[in-house]
Amino acid sequence: MPYPARLNPHLDRAREHSKAWAREFAMIDVPQHGTVIWTEHDLDSHDYALLCAYTHPDAGAEELDLITDWYVWVFYFDDHFLELYKRTGDIESARGYLDRLDLFMPAEGEITATPENPVERGLADLWTRTVPHRSAGWRRRFADSTKALLDESLWELANINEGRLANPIEYVEMRRKVGGAPWSANLVEHSVHAEVPGEIAASRPMEVLRDCFADAVHLRNDLFSYQREVQDEGELSNGVLVFEKFLGLSTQQAADAVNDLITSRLHQFEHTALTEVPALFEDPLFEGRCVDPAARAATFAYVKGLQDWQSGGHEWHLRSSRYMNEGAHGLGGSASSIFSSVLATAPQRLRAHSSTPFSAAGLPRPSLDLPLPLRLSPHLSEARDRNVDWARRTGLLDGVVWDERQLRAADLPRYAAGIHPDATADALDVTIGWLTWRTYADDHYPLVFGATRDLAGAKAANFRLPAFMPADGAPMPTPMTPLEAGLADLWPRTPAERRPAVRRAVEAMTSSWLWELANQAQNRIPDPIDYVEMRRRTFGADLTMQLARGHALPTALHRARPVQTLEHAAADVACLANDLYSYRKEIQYEGELHNAVLVVRNFLDCPVERAAEVVTDLVHARLAEFDHAAATELPALYRDDATERTLLGFVRELRDWLAGTVHWHQTSARYTEPELGCRPAAVPVFGGPTGIGTSSLRISSLLPAGR
């Protein structure tokens, strides 16, 4: 914990106020359905005022009172839900209970419903006292995070009823919602009177800061609450338990691994705050619109508030009787403790920058046996020659990044034929063209921009690409590169109704390649959670999913959690399978850092064979999660026959996408030894690595990199 903990001077007032508030709303010593949720002793010993005084050290007296009331309410809700629904497994009553809470969080206007229990009465009071002071954008974000915090309790309850333990990726994603840290982050903005502008709040750096904050807060809570949750409550939603079962570790080893992940997330927080947030303010997308001095000050105040919450939350966990905290002494934020923390975690920090590029990769070719029936388009054979002609016509066969032999060896038409088996011949050509363009671009960026650390050149290339995807039918400029020429040809042939989603997917993908280039320049192996979530973008999963779909889902359906679960799980199966098949190509021949096997090997500090086993297990676990969501979670969205048909069709298309993607990796020569052997030996531009910051670079004459 590298940040000092500080205590708000208004603690005693907040303690007195919060007890009176909880008593007023019948949260103390008042039975609920025959069960007393909290006694006065429970509230006193949990000491939520101390939590808020530590996590919001600079809040004024009134703000601290309000924030403490919010935390009393949210912890009371957690225990109220536990006693009434988790212990009984009454999921239908739980759903009705949660649905009613929406009535007390109106985006606009007054609350009109009548509260019927302490949770509803407390929420109505808090909402009325908080939202008049905030902007409409903040109210929407806060309502969304509060709703997620409440609604995703059903996910925990369903897992308890089924005796189902989440896989690590699923757990981290869902823990953010049900754990409440995004909700806490909204209250940080309120307490420091510094709202982050909406456009900045939606950017990758701020998203990463929120996610790192959430993950560190929740995983720390899991360490402290393991005994209470797992042994007393029969809870399955605990990171220590997830690591224990998935990795086959003892409880103490699993706790150590969770602690290492907390450290990794805090290192990612620091890295993002110091390198990505300042660069965001210079982004031409925001220049002159919202990043004025006041917006910058508000953003940095918010970042500092998240740091205060981390250290303060740690201090409270050491002291609250809610958790196993025997023997806690002193203030953990002292200079000696901070120094000890930095010193103890230095090996993990240094290991992330110590990769030796172009090392021999002795991992055998994987053999993934996945139950994914394959269908191939009947138009495949004739499409192959048309694809070569198209690539030559648009300049992709430039002899620098690609030549015809490489294109034919990759056999991207087979990829398209598997993910879009029912396409017409013309539609299949468009899908093949997009896959070819995306794969060429993925090879182009590290070869052209990575070899010279030309991040500015990559940004300039990205800045021009949207002009070749005009949203309003505007004329395109003259293409200056094969990338631009290919995009200019594909865009008019893409169905008009798919273009907005395709454009968003292309922009997300090409932006993510800048993240890869920055890591490569720093010789920095990514944090495992950041890697998994960015890998979906760098792989272009959303783009290729868009190409494989017959029709887009309505927005409301697409945003539903079961649908998002299906998409994310499918994307991870594809991305992790890609990393297994491309490991030798990327590590030995390209000096890459962005491969799940390398990331797991670095994080667990284990042999490469063990890392590959973990990644393989993740592939199977995410596919099992996909099947579970399709069978048990998706039916909750079936409102009528038409909706059911739409969603079942969506699942079939995703299965085709998965089958085609995995089949292509198993059959394409792109990752085989004969194809790799055609490459000259790779040599870094400036010689071998010399330590932190060394980039793994390639001479410009080398054949292409990429995934």
Side-chain angles (χ1 to χ4, degrees), residues 217-236:
V217 166
H218 295 148
L219 293 169
R220 181 182 296 109
N221 178 271
D222 286 351
L223 286 175
F224 280 93
S225 64
Y226 177 86
Q227 288 181 343
R228 176 179 185 267
E229 292 182 343
V230 176
Q231 296 177 359
D232 175 50
E233 299 174 0
E235 180 66 78
L236 296 177

Side-chain angles (χ1 to χ4, degrees), residues 295-322:
R296 295 183 186 219
T299 301
F300 283 121
Y302 170 70
V303 173
K304 179 179 179 296
L306 295 181
Q307 291 178 334
D308 286 336
W309 210 110
Q310 291 278 4
S311 53
H314 185 81
E315 289 297 322
W316 176 73
H317 275 86
L318 289 171
R319 286 159 173 74
S320 173
S321 71
R322 189 177 176 90

Side-chain angles (χ1 to χ4, degrees), residues 38-172:
W38 281 352
T39 64
E40 182 175 354
H41 173 73
D42 290 332
L43 180 63
D44 289 343
S45 59
H46 294 171
D47 207 350
Y48 301 117
L50 182 66
L51 167 66
C52 296
Y54 268 130
T55 55
H56 299 82
D58 298 319
E62 291 187 4
E63 285 85 357
L64 186 63
D65 286 348
L66 175 60
I67 288 167
T68 302
D69 292 347
W70 270 113
Y71 278 87
V72 168
W73 175 82
V74 80
F75 278 102
Y76 181 85
F77 160 79
D78 193 45
D79 290 348
H80 191 257
F81 191 83
L82 166 69
E83 294 297 337
L84 270 60
Y85 304 109
K86 282 188 178 179
R87 291 198 190 278
T88 64
D90 187 356
I91 197 164
E92 287 306 315
S93 297
R95 186 173 285 113
Y97 169 91
L98 295 173
D99 286 345
R100 273 187 54 83
L101 295 180
D102 275 351
L103 302 174
F104 306 98
M105 298 185 291
E108 303 291 342
E110 301 292 325
I111 295 171
T112 58
T114 301
E116 297 178 353
N117 59 54
V119 171
E120 294 179 357
R121 286 191 288 273
L123 179 57
D125 175 75
L126 292 167
W127 193 260
T128 303
R129 290 163 57 196
T130 305
V131 297
H133 305 286
R134 302 268 67 92
S135 69
W138 185 92
R139 289 198 300 270
R140 284 192 298 271
R141 294 202 303 273
F142 189 53
D144 287 345
S145 58
T146 305
K147 182 172 173 54
L149 164 69
L150 302 173
D151 288 355
E152 300 311 336
S153 299
L154 290 175
W155 173 78
E156 290 185 320
L157 179 54
N159 282 345
I160 290 173
N161 287 350
E162 296 175 29
R164 177 179 177 271
L165 191 64
N167 64 71
I169 299 175
E170 175 192 9
Y171 178 75
V172 168

Side-chain angles (χ1 to χ4, degrees), residues 390 393 426-427 429-431 433-434 486 488-496 499:
W390 178 82
R393 188 170 66 252
D426 288 343
D429 282 348
V430 173
T431 300
W434 274 112
D489 180 85
L490 285 168
W491 190 247
R493 296 193 288 137
T494 301
R499 290 176 193 168

Side-chain angles (χ1 to χ4, degrees), residues 377 411-421 428 431-432 435 664:
S377 167
D411 199 8
L412 293 162
R414 177 175 287 274
Y415 193 169
I419 69 172
H420 204 178
L428 186 66
T431 300
I432 294 170
L435 287 174
W664 177 75

